[in-house]
Amino acid sequence: CARSPHGYLGTRGAMSAAELLFWGCIATTAYTYFGYPLVLSIWTGLKRPDRDAMVPTEPESGPPHVSMIIPAYNEEAVIARKIRNSLELDYPSDRLEIVVVSDGSSDATERVAREAAGGRIRLVFREDHQGKTACLNAVLPDLTGQIVVFTDANAFFLRDALSRLVTHFSNPRVGCVMGELKYRNEGSLNAALGEGLYWRYENFIKERESRLGSTIVGNGAIYAVRRSLCMPLPLEVEADVANPLLALRAGYRVIFDRGARCWEMAAGTVREEFGRKTRIITNQLTTYLYGFRQLAPLPAGAVFQIFCHKFLRWLVPFFLAGVALANAAESEGSALWGWGLVLQGVFYCLAVVGWAMELGGRAVPKPLFVPYYFCAVNAAAVKGMLDFVLGRRRIVWEKAASTR
């Protein structure tokens, strides 16, 4: 190959293998973060409004009966507040069943729940600590509601959130409805620039997926499913991921309503968030494998979304590694490639400094937080995938203390 002033070009103008790797990884990363949302935005802009998908008015028989499940493990700090929040929702009390399931809590969760429950809350105290899916499996057979609402003990609904979720089910095509999670944590950069920014980006994508027909991504803090679609699941399967797939397999839509809102505290540190994301990625991979094996065939649109919205994003750290390796291979004798390598090195050094500052108990300044958070999230993806390949499963709670 002969060198050109801008890189390495063969005698016929072909790119070297390193250049192909570099630009291929750059293009795939760019598509993952920006191209996919852009495709969705253009697609939704061209799509005609689906009149049949509009939310109908409430049926004359009144709102449906609803069962809300609140799984809890060592939630003594928030369970009373969650129970009060649930009792204060703007929904007819005679049509709302609220079930609190303690997963073998070893603190005062059960005592506090009993004191706060009154006569309107059904309490189920399990002796074994087997995880969230086990809690849901334990109470599903006895639920009385036509709609099942899933939530977390530290997620607090706005007063009209439940009504907004349930209203969509008057459309017979809707099988699952996702609400919007907001993060709060005064003074936490993770709430503003980390998880807060991440969830704003996620909600943008989910809203456009929903407009096109269905979304596959929700969160366990706030969503609802038709009771007829719910089924017991293996303990290692994440119910919050599997339930939308069950609705899609049955031919229903899974929609996202940004008006149905709840909030919870963001993790105070990126290190806490790293552990949470590692567990989530491992569990989601396990659930998607279950979905492809046991729920097949999934709709083509759902498979496309899982690939673009989830799998490609988890592979970004490998694309970034490819960019760095290709850049290093091409940097000798080329100032342009050399500067590219320097800029990558500076970015990763900033991330390491941010990590060291947080590890030492110091506040991470904004210029360091973004590279630190970005690298931590991608490191969590690698760790989560590695745990999945090695057969490690995390079926029980690993909550971040600062979120309570």
Side-chain angles (χ1 to χ4, degrees):
C1 289
R3 291 186 187 179
S4 76
H6 303 292
Y8 291 77
L9 296 175
T11 55
R12 296 183 180 179
M15 289 191 290
S16 68
E19 287 178 307
L20 285 171
L21 176 63
F22 178 87
W23 291 114
C25 289
I26 287 286
T28 309
T29 302
Y31 172 78
T32 301
Y33 286 128
F34 307 107
Y36 179 59
L38 180 60
V39 167
L40 293 175
S41 296
I42 294 173
W43 199 348
T44 53
L46 296 175
K47 186 175 184 289
R48 292 182 179 180
D50 185 355
R51 295 184 179 275
D52 189 40
M54 302 298 182
V55 179
T57 58
E58 183 177 296
E60 294 182 3
S61 58
H65 289 271
V66 173
S67 295
M68 176 184 285
I69 308 177
I70 307 171
Y73 173 69
N74 287 355
E75 299 285 10
E76 63 179 7
V78 296
I79 192 62
R81 186 178 182 186
K82 176 63 177 181
I83 288 173
R84 289 195 300 272
N85 173 257
S86 303
L87 292 172
E88 292 169 357
L89 293 173
D90 183 18
Y91 203 82
S93 60
D94 62 335
R95 293 174 180 260
L96 176 59
E97 173 189 37
I98 303 172
V99 185
V100 174
V101 192
S102 172
D103 188 40
S105 296
S106 58
D107 66 353
T109 295
E110 296 177 4
R111 176 182 58 80
V112 174
R114 191 178 290 107
E115 293 172 353
R120 280 195 54 199
I121 306 289
R122 180 154 68 91
L123 305 176
V124 178
F125 298 148
R126 292 170 43 82
E127 294 184 1
D128 297 329
H129 180 36
Q130 294 183 308
K132 186 175 183 179
T133 300
C135 289
L136 304 180
N137 289 345
V139 298
L140 274 176
D142 299 322
L143 296 180
T144 61
Q146 303 161 267
I147 308 298
V148 182
V149 174
F150 299 85
T151 183
D152 293 329
N154 66 321
F156 302 99
F157 284 26
L158 271 62
R159 195 166 185 272
D160 66 344
L162 180 58
S163 297
R164 293 195 61 121
L165 280 178
V166 173
T167 298
H168 291 280
F169 290 99
S170 54
N171 182 339
R173 295 175 57 197
V174 173
C176 178
V177 183
M178 307 289 189
E180 181 179 23
L181 171 65
K182 293 279 192 178
Y183 277 105
R184 297 180 185 178
N185 200 336
E186 294 298 330
S188 168
L189 282 178
N190 191 40
L193 296 178
E195 284 302 284
L197 181 60
Y198 168 80
W199 276 105
R200 288 193 290 275
Y201 172 76
E202 273 290 288
N203 290 336
F204 174 86
I205 295 175
K206 287 188 292 187
E207 185 175 46
R208 276 144 188 82
E209 289 176 338
S210 180
R211 288 183 189 177
L212 289 174
S214 291
T215 182
I216 50 95
V217 179
N219 63 79
I222 177 169
Y223 74 101
V225 182
R226 292 186 185 274
R227 173 65 185 88
S228 59
L229 299 175
C230 298
M231 59 179 281
L233 296 165
L235 299 189
E236 69 273 12
V237 167
E238 191 83 25
D240 305 331
V241 180
N243 282 329
L245 299 182
L246 288 169
L248 288 170
R249 186 188 65 163
Y252 288 92
R253 293 184 62 203
V254 177
I255 64 173
F256 174 63
D257 183 356
R258 301 192 74 161
R261 297 175 181 171
C262 74
W263 66 270
E264 64 181 54
M265 297 293 288
T269 67
V270 177
R271 291 175 63 203
E272 284 184 312
E273 202 59 58
F274 174 87
R276 191 180 73 88
K277 285 193 177 298
T278 297
R279 175 183 60 81
I280 288 173
I281 290 169
T282 301
N283 290 350
Q284 287 185 346
L285 280 166
T286 304
T287 305
Y288 287 134
L289 180 61
Y290 168 82
F292 288 127
R293 285 179 173 176
Q294 304 297 326
L295 306 181
L298 291 171
V303 175
F304 176 73
Q305 288 181 28
I306 292 170
F307 178 75
C308 293
H309 197 153
K310 287 296 182 179
F311 285 177
L312 282 181
R313 196 179 298 178
W314 294 334
L315 294 175
V316 162
F318 300 101
F319 302 147
L320 296 176
V323 169
L325 290 173
N327 202 162
E330 292 289 292
S331 62
E332 184 180 353
S334 171
L336 183 62
W337 287 99
W339 275 111
L341 192 62
V342 168
L343 290 175
Q344 290 178 71
V346 169
F347 182 84
Y348 294 128
C349 284
L350 292 174
V352 171
V353 173
W355 169 78
M357 291 183 68
E358 188 176 84
L359 189 64
R362 299 174 61 185
V364 181
K366 287 184 179 180
L368 300 182
F369 184 86
V370 172
Y372 173 34
Y373 178 84
F374 178 82
C375 291
V377 167
N378 282 288
V382 175
K383 179 65 163 56
M385 288 186 287
L386 179 62
D387 287 347
F388 170 77
V389 170
L390 295 177
R392 298 169 183 162
R393 300 293 182 263
R394 296 181 173 89
I395 64 173
V396 297
W397 271 266
E398 294 180 20
K399 65 187 181 185
S402 61
T403 63
R404 268 62 179 174

